[in-house]
Amino acid sequence: MANSMKSGRHDTNEPVIKLFEGEKWLVVTSSIGFILAAGIAIYLFFQDPIILPEGNVKDAFSFNTAIGVFILSIAAILPFSQFRDRSRKMMRWLFIITALYAYAVETIQNFRGLNPRFSREGSVFDIIAGILFGVDSLVLVTLALLLTIQFFRLKAPVERPLLILGIRYALLSVFVANLGGVWMILLQDRFTGDAGNLIVLHGIGFHALQTLIVPGWFLERAQINEKLKKSLIHYGSIAWMLSIIVIGIQTGLGNTVFELSTFPILAIILLFIWLGTTIFAGWQFLKRVRKSTFLKQDRSL
C-alpha cells in the first residue's frame, strides 16, 4: 500500500492516466495549425512574405505553429487535471473554438494584407475582427489560468506525481507568458522602448509546456533516488522561471534580450542550469531504456 501511494497510484490494478487520453479533438485542432503552417511554408518558398499594406505571412506561419504546439500540449496534460466530465468537456471545446478563431483571423487577415490585431488600414469589419481577436486571446488566458488553479488544487496522492510537478511549474510559466500577452494587448503592439520585444517573453514562457514537462516524463522512468528526482525538477523549473522573469525585466526596460548585458547573460546562465538538469534527466531515462532492452535480449537467449 505504501509503495502504491508513493508511486502516485491508488490501486495497482487501476490504469495509469496517459498523455492525450480522451483528447482526440484537441489533437485534431492542433493538427490544423500544423497543416496551415505547412501550407504557408510552401507559399513562402515561392512568394515574398510581405503583403501590402500591413500583412506579413511569416507572422501567420509562426502563429499557427505556436498555437498548434500549445493546443497539443494542452491535449497532453488535460487528462491529468481531474476535472469532472462536464467541466473537462467545456474546457476542451472552449480551447478548440478559441484556437480555430485564432487560426482563421491570423491567416486570413495576413493574406489580405492586414494586421489581424491592430489594423490601421482595414474596414470597420476588420477592426471588429481585431477586437474579437483580443477577446479571444483573453479567453485563452482565462482558460490557462483556470487550468493552472485546477492543477494546484490537486491533492496527494496523484497519478504520476513527477509529471504533475512539472506541469505545475509549466503552467506558472504560461501565466507569466500570458501577462506578456496582456501587456501587448494594452500596448496594441509587441515592442517596448527602443528595442524590447514582448513576443520573446511570450513565446519562451509558453514553451515551458514542453521544456518543463519532458524532464518529469524522463525522471518518472529513471532509476534514481525519488528525492533527487524531485530536486532536479525543482532546480530546473525554478531556473527556467527566473530566466523568463529576467527576460521580462530586460524587455520592460525597453532593451533587446539579444545583447551581451547583465540581464541577458543572467538569463542564459539560468537557462543553462535548466538545460543541465534536463540533460541529466534524459541521460538517466536512456540508461533505464538501455538496461531494459539488455534484460529483454538476455531473457530471449
Side-chain angles (χ1 to χ4, degrees), residues 1-12 157-161 226:
M1 179 67 177
N3 290 335
S4 174
M5 296 288 276
K6 283 183 180 179
S7 68
R9 301 183 192 182
H10 303 289
D11 188 327
T12 53
V158 294
E159 295 274 8
R160 306 177 70 172
E226 290 296 319

Side-chain angles (χ1 to χ4, degrees), residues 270-285:
L270 289 164
L271 287 172
F272 268 113
I273 293 172
W274 159 78
L275 182 61
T277 61
T278 302
I279 290 172
F280 182 79
W283 177 52
Q284 293 298 322
F285 167 70

Side-chain angles (χ1 to χ4, degrees), residues 54-111:
E54 302 172 313
N56 188 339
V57 179
K58 275 187 179 179
D59 289 344
F61 168 79
S62 58
F63 180 86
N64 288 331
T65 303
I67 293 296
V69 171
F70 173 69
I71 294 298
L72 188 64
S73 302
I74 294 298
I77 68 173
L78 195 57
F80 301 94
S81 63
Q82 294 185 18
F83 275 121
R84 292 180 180 177
D85 289 345
R86 185 175 178 181
S87 297
R88 181 172 166 183
K89 184 177 181 180
M90 183 178 70
M91 290 286 289
R92 176 189 304 127
W93 285 102
L94 284 172
F95 271 119
I96 289 171
I97 292 166
T98 50
L100 291 176
Y101 182 80
Y103 290 148
V105 174
E106 183 74 27
T107 305
I108 293 170
Q109 293 297 77
N110 272 300
F111 272 99

Side-chain angles (χ1 to χ4, degrees), residues 191-221:
F191 299 104
T192 62
D194 295 329
N197 190 344
L198 288 164
I199 204 69
V200 178
L201 171 66
H202 193 59
I204 292 177
F206 272 110
H207 278 303
L209 285 170
Q210 299 85 50
T211 59
L212 301 188
I213 294 175
V214 169
W217 187 83
F218 283 152
L219 288 168
E220 66 181 4
R221 290 161 174 76

Side-chain angles (χ1 to χ4, degrees), residues 79-289:
F80 301 94
S81 63
Q82 294 185 18
F83 275 121
R84 292 180 180 177
D85 289 345
R86 185 175 178 181
S87 297
R88 181 172 166 183
K89 184 177 181 180
M90 183 178 70
M91 290 286 289
R92 176 189 304 127
W93 285 102
L94 284 172
F95 271 119
I96 289 171
I97 292 166
T98 50
L100 291 176
Y101 182 80
Y103 290 148
V105 174
E106 183 74 27
T107 305
I108 293 170
Q109 293 297 77
N110 272 300
F111 272 99
R112 291 180 65 222
L114 298 172
N115 185 319
R117 296 167 186 78
F118 317 115
S119 179
R120 293 181 174 85
E121 301 290 338
S123 65
V124 173
F125 171 82
D126 299 308
I127 294 170
I128 293 172
I131 292 171
L132 290 176
F133 202 178
V135 173
D136 189 77
S137 299
L138 291 175
V139 172
L140 277 174
V141 169
T142 303
L143 291 174
L145 180 59
L146 291 173
L147 196 58
T148 304
I149 293 169
Q150 177 65 13
F151 269 98
F152 276 90
R153 288 178 61 191
L154 299 181
K155 295 180 180 179
V158 294
E159 295 274 8
R160 306 177 70 172
L162 294 172
L163 197 62
I164 294 295
L165 184 59
I167 290 170
R168 285 171 170 168
Y169 274 113
L171 289 171
L172 285 178
S173 179
V174 168
F175 176 73
V176 176
N178 279 328
L179 291 179
V182 173
W183 193 351
M184 283 190 282
I185 291 172
L186 295 174
L187 286 177
Q188 294 198 349
D189 204 342
R190 65 176 62 177
F191 299 104
T192 62
D194 295 329
N197 190 344
L198 288 164
I199 204 69
V200 178
L201 171 66
H202 193 59
I204 292 177
F206 272 110
H207 278 303
L209 285 170
Q210 299 85 50
T211 59
L212 301 188
I213 294 175
V214 169
W217 187 83
F218 283 152
L219 288 168
E220 66 181 4
R221 290 161 174 76
Q223 289 184 320
I224 56 175
N225 183 275
E226 290 296 319
K227 186 176 180 181
L228 177 57
K229 289 180 181 183
K230 288 184 179 180
S231 296
L232 285 167
I233 294 175
H234 282 303
Y235 294 150
S237 299
I238 290 170
W240 177 277
M241 291 294 302
L242 290 174
S243 74
I244 63 172
I245 290 171
V246 169
I247 289 169
I249 293 171
Q250 176 76 356
T251 305
L253 293 172
N255 301 320
T256 178
V257 296
F258 303 107
E259 65 178 23
L260 291 178
S261 59
T262 303
F263 286 123
I265 291 172
L266 179 57
I268 290 170
I269 292 170
L270 289 164
L271 287 172
F272 268 113
I273 293 172
W274 159 78
L275 182 61
T277 61
T278 302
I279 290 172
F280 182 79
W283 177 52
Q284 293 298 322
F285 167 70
L286 289 174
K287 281 177 65 177
R288 171 69 182 274
V289 171

